[in-house]
Amino acid sequence: MAGDVHLDIDPEEVPPSSPWLGRERLAGLSLVGLGALALWASSDLPFASEFGVSSGLVPRLLSILIFGLGVLQLFLSWRKPGPSTGGWRMHTMLPVVAAIVLFAVTIRGYEFGSLHIPELGLLVATPLAIVVSGLAAQDTKLPELLLFAAVLTLFCIALFRYALGLSLPVAPWLIGY
């Protein structure tokens, strides 16, 4: 019909309100930021030793690769920033960020001034992180989440501590290591 207007815009792919809010551009910025942070964090690791390659080579190469891919993503998104990221639902992002922070401060302990968090190990840090991050999902059922946390915790202990031999504490408050 002559009066009908047809737009070829998918309702989920709304153009961004600002050029910097496109998905492709934000993905590139995130990669650049992550690569720069990783490069800074690995700057004190030795790059080479008299025997050849040292422990800083792979982290630096990966951080440079991530940074470079972020720059490439930014360059490619210059003409078309992609659809809008839409609204950011903080109530789903905060539990995930909180779970990461909780895992980081509880696995080996943390001290900041008078704040002292004891070293709890994988036996406590892993299920704590899983349960807290599970709060982000709307369809989470607590019994399923607790079962998943228990199974994944046992798997992580078996893999990281025993199969790979990493020096991660399992339960220093219970079994001493």
Side-chain angles (χ1 to χ4, degrees):
M1 298 185 162
D4 289 345
V5 177
H6 179 68
L7 298 175
D8 287 336
I9 297 177
D10 186 2
E12 293 185 11
E13 294 196 10
V14 178
S17 58
S18 164
W20 289 101
L21 291 179
R23 287 183 192 161
E24 306 298 323
R25 182 98 19 99
L26 283 176
L29 285 172
S30 298
L31 288 174
V32 166
L34 181 64
L37 177 67
L39 193 59
W40 171 77
S42 66
S43 64
D44 60 343
L45 295 174
F47 190 71
S49 68
E50 66 259 9
F51 302 111
V53 175
S54 192
S55 62
L57 177 68
V58 172
R60 277 203 202 121
L61 287 178
L62 287 176
S63 59
I64 290 170
L65 179 67
I66 291 170
F67 185 85
L69 288 173
V71 169
L72 178 65
Q73 181 74 24
L74 280 173
F75 177 74
L76 293 175
S77 72
W78 200 256
R79 297 182 103 196
K80 186 176 180 182
S84 174
T85 56
W88 293 40
R89 301 175 64 165
M90 294 304 279
H91 69 278
T92 58
M93 291 184 349
L94 287 177
V96 175
V97 173
I100 294 168
V101 171
L102 277 173
F103 183 82
V105 299
T106 57
I107 190 163
R108 292 199 186 264
Y110 184 74
E111 280 192 43
F112 184 73
S114 63
L115 175 68
H116 176 72
I117 298 172
E119 182 178 21
L120 298 176
L122 282 170
L123 194 62
V124 174
T126 305
L128 181 65
I130 292 169
V131 170
V132 170
S133 65
L135 298 174
Q138 293 177 356
D139 60 344
T140 301
K141 295 181 180 113
L142 188 59
E144 292 174 356
L145 187 60
L146 292 174
L147 178 65
F148 178 68
V151 170
L152 194 58
T153 298
L154 293 175
F155 176 76
C156 287
I157 291 170
L159 175 66
F160 295 119
R161 179 64 186 202
Y162 298 109
L164 296 176
L166 298 179
S167 63
L168 292 172
V170 175
W173 48 271
L174 180 66
I175 57 176
Y177 68 89

